[in-house]
Amino acid sequence: MSVIVTSLVALTGCSGAGSGPETVTRKEPITRPVSVSGGDRTLTVMVESGGCDMTPRLEASESTTTVALTVRIATRTGPDIACPASALFGPARVVLHTTLGSRTVTDATSGRGLPVRGR
């Protein structure tokens, strides 16, 4: 009987007891075209995420010639977090400070130029 109790205590110690859930944010490359709407100021990309991911955020860094987009996805993680095996696919949007105009759009993560629809 003492062997069983010792084993359970050892397993509990390995489970990360005492460390709670945390959030980890990652950047994802943009792999689909960008849509423009809202008076040439709203940019939208379709983003894939998973069961423990929070709503993806689209961020824009603007210059006079370029708009660099970054997709950030925060994920809940930890020893007591159970993630459903599901894939989500939906829009992430950002509103620019000024109209897109003739500026090029790039993926800040990969450096690639992105096709823009709706111009």
Tab-separated table of all heavy atoms in Angstrom, residues 31-69:
chain	number	residue	atom	x	y	z
A	31	THR	N	-1.351	33.713	-44.978
A	31	THR	CA	-1.252	32.873	-46.168
A	31	THR	C	-2.379	33.120	-47.169
A	31	THR	O	-2.422	32.462	-48.206
A	31	THR	CB	-1.263	31.387	-45.776
A	31	THR	OG1	-2.479	31.103	-45.068
A	31	THR	CG2	-0.068	31.049	-44.889
A	32	ARG	N	-3.262	34.041	-46.863
A	32	ARG	CA	-4.402	34.305	-47.743
A	32	ARG	C	-4.427	35.784	-48.142
A	32	ARG	O	-3.839	36.624	-47.458
A	32	ARG	CB	-5.687	33.936	-47.019
A	32	ARG	CG	-5.784	32.437	-46.813
A	32	ARG	CD	-7.059	32.057	-46.069
A	32	ARG	NE	-7.194	30.627	-46.023
A	32	ARG	CZ	-6.509	29.821	-45.214
A	32	ARG	NH1	-5.619	30.327	-44.398
A	32	ARG	NH2	-6.713	28.526	-45.226
A	33	PRO	N	-5.157	36.107	-49.220
A	33	PRO	CA	-5.241	37.506	-49.650
A	33	PRO	C	-5.888	38.395	-48.582
A	33	PRO	O	-6.653	37.934	-47.743
A	33	PRO	CB	-6.128	37.454	-50.894
A	33	PRO	CG	-6.053	36.046	-51.359
A	33	PRO	CD	-5.851	35.205	-50.136
A	34	VAL	N	-5.576	39.678	-48.652
A	34	VAL	CA	-6.132	40.686	-47.755
A	34	VAL	C	-7.301	41.345	-48.469
A	34	VAL	O	-7.207	41.683	-49.650
A	34	VAL	CB	-5.055	41.746	-47.426
A	34	VAL	CG1	-5.628	42.845	-46.550
A	34	VAL	CG2	-3.845	41.087	-46.782
A	35	SER	N	-8.406	41.539	-47.759
A	35	SER	CA	-9.564	42.257	-48.307
A	35	SER	C	-9.589	43.662	-47.742
A	35	SER	O	-9.277	43.869	-46.564
A	35	SER	CB	-10.869	41.551	-47.936
A	35	SER	OG	-10.904	40.265	-48.479
A	36	VAL	N	-9.983	44.633	-48.586
A	36	VAL	CA	-10.077	46.033	-48.173
A	36	VAL	C	-11.532	46.455	-48.226
A	36	VAL	O	-12.238	46.156	-49.191
A	36	VAL	CB	-9.242	46.945	-49.096
A	36	VAL	CG1	-9.343	48.392	-48.655
A	36	VAL	CG2	-7.804	46.503	-49.122
A	37	SER	N	-11.980	47.151	-47.181
A	37	SER	CA	-13.352	47.670	-47.137
A	37	SER	C	-13.366	48.909	-46.254
A	37	SER	O	-12.315	49.417	-45.882
A	37	SER	CB	-14.307	46.600	-46.583
A	37	SER	OG	-13.942	46.257	-45.254
A	38	GLY	N	-14.543	49.374	-45.907
A	38	GLY	CA	-14.676	50.487	-44.972
A	38	GLY	C	-13.985	51.759	-45.420
A	38	GLY	O	-13.205	52.329	-44.667
A	39	GLY	N	-14.260	52.181	-46.659
A	39	GLY	CA	-13.648	53.414	-47.145
A	39	GLY	C	-12.150	53.306	-47.321
A	39	GLY	O	-11.426	54.274	-47.107
A	40	ASP	N	-11.667	52.095	-47.664
A	40	ASP	CA	-10.247	51.851	-47.932
A	40	ASP	C	-9.393	51.897	-46.654
A	40	ASP	O	-8.204	52.099	-46.697
A	40	ASP	CB	-9.716	52.850	-48.972
A	40	ASP	CG	-8.458	52.370	-49.687
A	40	ASP	OD1	-8.352	51.157	-49.957
A	40	ASP	OD2	-7.579	53.203	-49.963
A	41	ARG	N	-10.061	51.695	-45.482
A	41	ARG	CA	-9.315	51.737	-44.213
A	41	ARG	C	-9.356	50.437	-43.437
A	41	ARG	O	-8.554	50.255	-42.519
A	41	ARG	CB	-9.866	52.856	-43.326
A	41	ARG	CG	-9.470	54.234	-43.840
A	41	ARG	CD	-9.781	55.339	-42.861
A	41	ARG	NE	-9.193	55.083	-41.552
A	41	ARG	CZ	-9.783	55.436	-40.416
A	41	ARG	NH1	-10.944	56.036	-40.403
A	41	ARG	NH2	-9.180	55.199	-39.267
A	42	THR	N	-10.284	49.523	-43.737
A	42	THR	CA	-10.390	48.272	-42.984
A	42	THR	C	-9.764	47.132	-43.779
A	42	THR	O	-10.155	46.870	-44.915
A	42	THR	CB	-11.865	47.932	-42.674
A	42	THR	OG1	-12.431	49.018	-41.935
A	42	THR	CG2	-11.973	46.654	-41.861
A	43	LEU	N	-8.785	46.449	-43.173
A	43	LEU	CA	-8.136	45.298	-43.795
A	43	LEU	C	-8.588	44.043	-43.057
A	43	LEU	O	-8.643	44.025	-41.824
A	43	LEU	CB	-6.617	45.419	-43.742
A	43	LEU	CG	-6.000	46.671	-44.374
A	43	LEU	CD1	-4.484	46.597	-44.313
A	43	LEU	CD2	-6.473	46.833	-45.801
A	44	THR	N	-8.886	42.988	-43.822
A	44	THR	CA	-9.363	41.733	-43.251
A	44	THR	C	-8.578	40.574	-43.845
A	44	THR	O	-8.346	40.537	-45.055
A	44	THR	CB	-10.866	41.516	-43.562
A	44	THR	OG1	-11.602	42.643	-43.082
A	44	THR	CG2	-11.402	40.251	-42.919
A	45	VAL	N	-8.163	39.642	-42.997
A	45	VAL	CA	-7.545	38.396	-43.447
A	45	VAL	C	-8.276	37.242	-42.768
A	45	VAL	O	-8.775	37.382	-41.648
A	45	VAL	CB	-6.031	38.317	-43.150
A	45	VAL	CG1	-5.273	39.379	-43.909
A	45	VAL	CG2	-5.744	38.415	-41.684
A	46	MET	N	-8.332	36.104	-43.436
A	46	MET	CA	-8.915	34.903	-42.853
A	46	MET	C	-7.799	34.158	-42.122
A	46	MET	O	-6.701	33.983	-42.662
A	46	MET	CB	-9.554	34.030	-43.932
A	46	MET	CG	-10.713	34.718	-44.640
A	46	MET	SD	-12.033	35.256	-43.525
A	46	MET	CE	-12.781	33.680	-43.114
A	47	VAL	N	-8.099	33.719	-40.885
A	47	VAL	CA	-7.093	33.136	-40.012
A	47	VAL	C	-7.596	31.803	-39.458
A	47	VAL	O	-8.770	31.676	-39.109
A	47	VAL	CB	-6.787	34.090	-38.832
A	47	VAL	CG1	-5.757	33.504	-37.904
A	47	VAL	CG2	-6.351	35.446	-39.342
A	48	GLU	N	-6.690	30.836	-39.373
A	48	GLU	CA	-6.991	29.557	-38.741
A	48	GLU	C	-6.472	29.581	-37.315
A	48	GLU	O	-5.401	30.112	-37.041
A	48	GLU	CB	-6.311	28.417	-39.495
A	48	GLU	CG	-6.833	28.224	-40.896
A	48	GLU	CD	-6.091	27.128	-41.626
A	48	GLU	OE1	-5.803	26.091	-41.000
A	48	GLU	OE2	-5.793	27.339	-42.805
A	49	SER	N	-7.258	29.003	-36.398
A	49	SER	CA	-6.826	28.884	-35.009
A	49	SER	C	-7.372	27.580	-34.447
A	49	SER	O	-8.147	26.886	-35.109
A	49	SER	CB	-7.285	30.094	-34.187
A	49	SER	OG	-8.686	30.244	-34.261
A	50	GLY	N	-6.978	27.243	-33.228
A	50	GLY	CA	-7.359	25.964	-32.636
A	50	GLY	C	-8.218	26.103	-31.397
A	50	GLY	O	-8.617	27.201	-31.009
A	51	GLY	N	-8.480	24.972	-30.742
A	51	GLY	CA	-9.413	24.879	-29.633
A	51	GLY	C	-9.070	25.704	-28.408
A	51	GLY	O	-9.964	26.163	-27.719
A	52	CYS	N	-7.817	25.895	-28.083
A	52	CYS	CA	-7.433	26.688	-26.906
A	52	CYS	C	-7.004	28.101	-27.279
A	52	CYS	O	-6.557	28.867	-26.424
A	52	CYS	CB	-6.312	25.989	-26.134
A	52	CYS	SG	-6.936	24.813	-24.924
A	53	ASP	N	-7.110	28.452	-28.565
A	53	ASP	CA	-6.712	29.781	-29.011
A	53	ASP	C	-7.809	30.793	-28.721
A	53	ASP	O	-8.994	30.501	-28.839
A	53	ASP	CB	-6.428	29.786	-30.511
A	53	ASP	CG	-5.208	28.976	-30.881
A	53	ASP	OD1	-4.341	28.776	-30.005
A	53	ASP	OD2	-5.124	28.543	-32.044
A	54	MET	N	-7.385	31.989	-28.346
A	54	MET	CA	-8.315	33.098	-28.198
A	54	MET	C	-8.506	33.737	-29.565
A	54	MET	O	-7.855	33.349	-30.529
A	54	MET	CB	-7.751	34.090	-27.188
A	54	MET	CG	-7.619	33.500	-25.802
A	54	MET	SD	-6.865	34.694	-24.703
A	54	MET	CE	-6.499	33.649	-23.306
A	55	THR	N	-9.382	34.707	-29.672
A	55	THR	CA	-9.665	35.349	-30.948
A	55	THR	C	-8.391	35.957	-31.528
A	55	THR	O	-7.713	36.751	-30.862
A	55	THR	CB	-10.725	36.453	-30.763
A	55	THR	OG1	-11.893	35.868	-30.193
A	55	THR	CG2	-11.074	37.104	-32.091
A	56	PRO	N	-8.021	35.576	-32.764
A	56	PRO	CA	-6.818	36.135	-33.392
A	56	PRO	C	-6.923	37.658	-33.550
A	56	PRO	O	-7.999	38.193	-33.806
A	56	PRO	CB	-6.780	35.456	-34.760
A	56	PRO	CG	-7.573	34.211	-34.579
A	56	PRO	CD	-8.651	34.566	-33.596
A	57	ARG	N	-5.788	38.344	-33.390
A	57	ARG	CA	-5.719	39.796	-33.563
A	57	ARG	C	-4.888	40.119	-34.790
A	57	ARG	O	-3.838	39.530	-35.010
A	57	ARG	CB	-5.057	40.445	-32.350
A	57	ARG	CG	-5.895	40.465	-31.112
A	57	ARG	CD	-5.265	41.308	-29.997
A	57	ARG	NE	-3.867	41.607	-30.171
A	57	ARG	CZ	-2.905	41.237	-29.334
A	57	ARG	NH1	-3.185	40.544	-28.274
A	57	ARG	NH2	-1.645	41.565	-29.562
A	58	LEU	N	-5.358	41.076	-35.562
A	58	LEU	CA	-4.607	41.579	-36.706
A	58	LEU	C	-4.103	42.967	-36.338
A	58	LEU	O	-4.881	43.826	-35.917
A	58	LEU	CB	-5.485	41.634	-37.953
A	58	LEU	CG	-4.814	42.090	-39.237
A	58	LEU	CD1	-3.682	41.142	-39.637
A	58	LEU	CD2	-5.841	42.188	-40.364
A	59	GLU	N	-2.792	43.174	-36.468
A	59	GLU	CA	-2.180	44.460	-36.157
A	59	GLU	C	-1.521	45.016	-37.408
A	59	GLU	O	-1.037	44.250	-38.244
A	59	GLU	CB	-1.135	44.298	-35.052
A	59	GLU	CG	-1.720	43.756	-33.760
A	59	GLU	CD	-0.664	43.394	-32.743
A	59	GLU	OE1	0.542	43.376	-33.071
A	59	GLU	OE2	-1.039	43.116	-31.590
A	60	ALA	N	-1.513	46.336	-37.526
A	60	ALA	CA	-0.907	46.989	-38.689
A	60	ALA	C	0.136	48.003	-38.245
A	60	ALA	O	-0.080	48.763	-37.309
A	60	ALA	CB	-1.977	47.692	-39.516
A	61	SER	N	1.269	47.982	-38.940
A	61	SER	CA	2.310	48.987	-38.763
A	61	SER	C	2.344	49.775	-40.067
A	61	SER	O	2.647	49.206	-41.127
A	61	SER	CB	3.651	48.317	-38.484
A	61	SER	OG	4.668	49.271	-38.412
A	62	GLU	N	2.027	51.054	-39.998
A	62	GLU	CA	1.866	51.864	-41.202
A	62	GLU	C	3.042	52.808	-41.446
A	62	GLU	O	3.548	53.415	-40.519
A	62	GLU	CB	0.592	52.716	-41.088
A	62	GLU	CG	-0.676	51.918	-40.934
A	62	GLU	CD	-1.907	52.792	-40.840
A	62	GLU	OE1	-2.100	53.643	-41.749
A	62	GLU	OE2	-2.662	52.641	-39.875
A	63	SER	N	3.440	52.873	-42.712
A	63	SER	CA	4.379	53.907	-43.149
A	63	SER	C	3.731	54.599	-44.346
A	63	SER	O	2.623	54.245	-44.743
A	63	SER	CB	5.734	53.292	-43.532
A	63	SER	OG	5.667	52.676	-44.799
A	64	THR	N	4.419	55.534	-44.948
A	64	THR	CA	3.842	56.249	-46.098
A	64	THR	C	3.755	55.362	-47.336
A	64	THR	O	2.964	55.643	-48.234
A	64	THR	CB	4.657	57.509	-46.429
A	64	THR	OG1	6.010	57.125	-46.660
A	64	THR	CG2	4.587	58.519	-45.297
A	65	THR	N	4.558	54.285	-47.404
A	65	THR	CA	4.564	53.433	-48.598
A	65	THR	C	4.100	52.001	-48.347
A	65	THR	O	3.793	51.288	-49.295
A	65	THR	CB	5.987	53.367	-49.201
A	65	THR	OG1	6.889	52.867	-48.207
A	65	THR	CG2	6.444	54.747	-49.664
A	66	THR	N	4.062	51.576	-47.076
A	66	THR	CA	3.787	50.170	-46.765
A	66	THR	C	2.904	50.036	-45.534
A	66	THR	O	2.959	50.852	-44.616
A	66	THR	CB	5.116	49.424	-46.469
A	66	THR	OG1	6.004	49.627	-47.555
A	66	THR	CG2	4.895	47.947	-46.274
A	67	VAL	N	2.084	48.972	-45.544
A	67	VAL	CA	1.359	48.549	-44.349
A	67	VAL	C	1.810	47.118	-44.069
A	67	VAL	O	1.622	46.229	-44.900
A	67	VAL	CB	-0.175	48.603	-44.554
A	67	VAL	CG1	-0.893	48.023	-43.340
A	67	VAL	CG2	-0.633	50.020	-44.826
A	68	ALA	N	2.443	46.913	-42.928
A	68	ALA	CA	2.908	45.582	-42.537
A	68	ALA	C	1.909	45.002	-41.535
A	68	ALA	O	1.620	45.619	-40.505
A	68	ALA	CB	4.300	45.670	-41.912
A	69	LEU	N	1.379	43.823	-41.858
A	69	LEU	CA	0.370	43.175	-41.016
A	69	LEU	C	0.975	42.045	-40.197
A	69	LEU	O	1.822	41.295	-40.690
A	69	LEU	CB	-0.759	42.615	-41.884
A	69	LEU	CG	-1.542	43.624	-42.715
A	69	LEU	CD1	-2.592	42.895	-43.553
A	69	LEU	CD2	-2.190	44.668	-41.818
